[in-house]
Amino acid sequence: MGTKILVKEALIPGTTSKLVLDAPHIARSARPGHFVMLRVNELGERIPLTIADTDPEAGTITIVYLVLGKTTAELEKLSAGDEILDVCGPVGHHTHIEKRGTVICVGGGTGIAAMHHIAKGHVQVGNRVLGIIGARSQDLLLFEKELKTLVHSLYITTDDGSYGRKGLVTDVLSELLHQEKDVFEVVGVGPVPMMAAVAECTRPLGIKTTVSLNPIMVDGIGMCGACRVTVDGKTRFACVDGPEFDGHKVDFAELKRRLAAYREQEARSMAALQNVNA
Amino acid sequence: MTKENTLTRIPMPCQEPGIRSKNFEEVALGYSEDMALAEAGRCLQCKKPLCMQGCPVEVPIRDFIACVVARDYAKAYEKITSSNSFPAICGRVCPQENQCEGRCILGKKGSPIAIGRLERFVADRAGAGAKVDKVLGKGKRVACIGSGPASLSCAGVCARNGFDVDMYEAMHEAGGVLVYGIPSFRLPKDVVAREIEGLSRLGVRFFMNYVGGRTVSVEDLRKEYDAVFIGVGAGLPVFLGVPGENLVGVFSANEYLTRVNLGRAYRFPEYDTPVYPGRHVTVFGAGNVAMDAARTALRMGAESVNIVYRRTRAEMPARKEEIEHAEEEGVAFTMLSAPLCFTGDAEQKLCSVKLQKMELGEPDASGRRRPVPIEGACVDMPTDLAIIALGTRSNPVLLQATPGLSLNDRGYISVDENTGETSIANVFAGGDIVTGAATVILAMGAGRRAGQEIVRRFA
């Protein structure tokens, strides 16, 4: 009894796709910040993916993935109408959202999808949301359309200047933080270096900064500790204590090292897959 | 039978250590009929059998052994299952030496009856063909959260009494610790699967990938079901809290074992889940989980595996058989040593652990002599894979999401000892989420008690 893919949309052909899944039992209780654990098939590995959107009435959840390893490569082979064997969730703590004023949501790469769900939550309670999204180039930018209609203002950066402003999301963030005097929170979701840079940007100003971490997980419900991160000098489990933490207190260097723990095995897995496909 | 024979138990046939340390097949092969008959023949059939008092679920041990002697194995199975639904599992994983066998009168002069081995013999022989009685059409509904030993037992009792039982499991396979924790060389997965199929035949429905407190709340389930049983297990692994513990190469035993057992990492890359490779492995802790992790690491190709424990061999909490099996397979034991810190290489991958040498001092609250550091006595032990097997603490996921659920001062669920009922009416709990990490049989006993109370209330 798998979970059916209702819609598949290639966001960046061959590398990033969006799936709308028929999962009413998850959609019912999923809130911004939550994630799911999924396993594509009987031989598959359980991996965490953040929920990018939900439609509780339609009973659907949306996930976005970057094809990075074997599991996402297998996921990319599926089409609308196919089933994912296991989808478990929602798991993790949802984002703490209350009406406070202006919040800046920063997203990078695939993290833009997860940031979208959090931004949507802030908009729904009546916060003024400024969005900043960035990618290496225009063709790698996600969720621009969805965010444009959602947030108060959306700022776009590309590393190569092919679209929006040339530069990094933190360039725009620094400027906005000088213009906007009453930002109560900055949310950053994206690659580890981006989240670390966002936290450094806000640290001197003492603005609350929330980052959503993506460490390796096995069960996603607190049993294994694969996802441990150091926050404020203490070991926390991203799956049950997070995945969101105070960006000013996260040891990003450690997170980056731990994310690379299985690099050799991941390469072996991908090589085996390519041999099968060849 | 000579007197010598009566005093010595029939040895369990096992795979040769040199062979088994390279595979995941079951180590203990099980008694043949002749062996079982010879072993059962040693039983004195005591008038007041002490063995039964040593059993947490009071299996009628003397009576089932009498049935074995009479070669009526079906009846022996019936006797056992009158109080224990899963003898194929318990026969393999119970700490018999501290329970039934520890009380056996034969143990005073020789070796006690091998009750666990006989239980396993009877259960394996009955196999999947065991008949199940089901009372139909009660129309009462029970939800079990988690599908480990406690929930399986509760479900079994309720289903046999005609209740409709639904189980909600967070992982993708039913069985809880029996599947993700205990390795197949100790408890083959088909043995667990057979017991779960038995429940399915009784009409129990399994819902996979449902997280109690997230996908479904206890409150939701109470609206739909007459009773709810919480058997979600203990959960969060304990770490040492020493420097370097988050280096790449340091793992909880839960993670290491889950990757290998549930993820089938021993068949990587055919299966996608990898496990971190280690040539010189250190395992911290000395319980069954530590033995399981150490023996798994050997099977994954480690050149050396060292169990590091701060007390001595005499205090090791693991089953005696597991310690012996580990030693036969080549696991080394470094006693009276505690980790001080882990050190990484240039890439911050684990390369060694600094150990503090200990000596035994005065007895502590547990009655065991407390290990105390010997000042200045430290050694560096090279290791590229460290596995921490020091137990677990309470998993907060369901507890935080369930208002009104009373917890004890250790953070586990408080229940009425006789019924297993929690502070919420008709919501029961049992197993490690009530007691903290304990044994499979204690969890089964708790599930069974709660199941019986549910039957009493609603039948």
Side-chain angles (χ1 to χ4, degrees), chain B residues 22-33:
Chain B
K22 295 179 181 66
N23 69 47
F24 280 84
E25 305 299 316
E26 190 166 20
V27 166
L29 301 171
Y31 276 167
S32 65
E33 186 175 8

Side-chain angles (χ1 to χ4, degrees), chain B residues 60-71:
Chain B
I61 294 165
R62 177 193 62 191
D63 298 353
F64 102 71
I65 292 179
C67 295
V68 172
V69 171
R71 302 189 190 207

Side-chain angles (χ1 to χ4, degrees), chain A residues 28-29 39 43 46 70 86 88-90 92-93 221-224 226 228 230 235 240 254 257-258 262 265, chain B residues 170 172 209 211 214-215 236-237 239 245-246 250-252 254-255 259 268 272 274 276-277 348 395 397 400:
Chain A
R28 199 180 45 173
S29 48
R39 189 175 71 130
L43 304 177
R46 286 168 71 96
K70 170 96 184 276
D86 298 295
C88 169
H93 282 296
I221 52 169
M223 274 166 31
C224 83
R228 56 199 198 277
T230 300
T235 294
V240 294
E254 178 189 273
R257 285 196 302 271
R258 292 184 59 82
Y262 291 93
Q265 289 88 341
Chain B
H172 51 260
N209 301 310
V211 182
R214 286 282 186 272
T215 320
L236 272 62
F239 284 91
E245 198 162 30
N246 291 345
V250 184
F251 299 86
S252 74
N254 268 10
E255 174 177 0
R259 284 178 175 277
F268 178 86
D272 293 343
Y276 195 80
Q348 294 294 297
N395 189 321
V397 174
Q400 287 172 357

Side-chain angles (χ1 to χ4, degrees), chain B residues 113-130:
Chain B
I113 293 285
I115 298 166
R117 296 171 183 177
L118 290 173
E119 182 183 29
R120 168 184 167 173
F121 168 78
V122 169
D124 286 358
R125 211 174 157 95

Side-chain angles (χ1 to χ4, degrees), chain A residues 1 25-26 28-29 34 39 41-46 70-71 74 85-93 216-219 221-226 228-230 235 237 240-241 254 257-258 261-262 264-266 268-269 272, chain B residues 170-173 180 206-211 214-217 220 235-237 239 245-252 254-255 258-259 262-263 268-277 347-349 392-393 395-397 400:
Chain A
M1 202 175 57
H25 60 295
I26 300 176
R28 199 180 45 173
S29 48
H34 276 144
R39 189 175 71 130
N41 55 43
E42 205 53 60
L43 304 177
E45 181 177 14
R46 286 168 71 96
K70 170 96 184 276
T71 302
E74 292 283 357
L85 184 59
D86 298 295
V87 180
C88 169
V91 277
H93 282 296
I216 292 172
M217 293 186 187
V218 179
D219 54 86
I221 52 169
M223 274 166 31
C224 83
R228 56 199 198 277
V229 290
T230 300
T235 294
F237 289 6
V240 294
D241 298 323
E254 178 189 273
R257 285 196 302 271
R258 292 184 59 82
Y262 291 93
E264 278 168 42
Q265 289 88 341
E266 283 158 9
R268 260 182 81 194
S269 249
Chain B
M171 307 300 275
H172 51 260
E173 255 182 81
Y180 73 74
F206 289 85
F207 295 88
M208 296 297 128
N209 301 310
Y210 272 76
V211 182
R214 286 282 186 272
T215 320
V216 276
S217 67
D220 292 340
L236 272 62
F239 284 91
E245 198 162 30
N246 291 345
L247 287 170
V248 170
V250 184
F251 299 86
S252 74
N254 268 10
E255 174 177 0
T258 301
R259 284 178 175 277
L262 184 74
F268 178 86
E270 178 197 355
Y271 280 76
D272 293 343
T273 305
V275 70
Y276 195 80
E347 288 175 28
Q348 294 294 297
K349 286 186 170 173
T392 52
R393 57 199 168 91
N395 189 321
V397 174
Q400 287 172 357

Side-chain angles (χ1 to χ4, degrees), chain A residues 167-179:
Chain A
L168 301 173
V169 286
T170 40
D171 299 339
V172 176
L173 178 61
S174 296
E175 287 176 19
L176 278 183
L177 289 173
H178 281 100
Q179 291 160 23

Side-chain angles (χ1 to χ4, degrees), chain A residues 209-273:
Chain A
T209 300
T210 302
V211 292
S212 178
L213 305 186
N214 57 338
I216 292 172
M217 293 186 187
V218 179
D219 54 86
I221 52 169
M223 274 166 31
C224 83
C227 65
R228 56 199 198 277
V229 290
T230 300
V231 182
D232 204 12
K234 294 190 187 77
T235 294
R236 311 291 300 274
F237 289 6
C239 67
V240 294
D241 298 323
E244 294 175 5
F245 293 101
D246 180 342
H248 295 151
K249 294 177 176 164
V250 171
D251 184 341
F252 288 106
E254 178 189 273
L255 173 64
K256 202 172 170 204
R257 285 196 302 271
R258 292 184 59 82
L259 276 165
Y262 291 93
R263 197 174 279 157
E264 278 168 42
Q265 289 88 341
E266 283 158 9
R268 260 182 81 194
S269 249
M270 280 305 272
L273 180 69

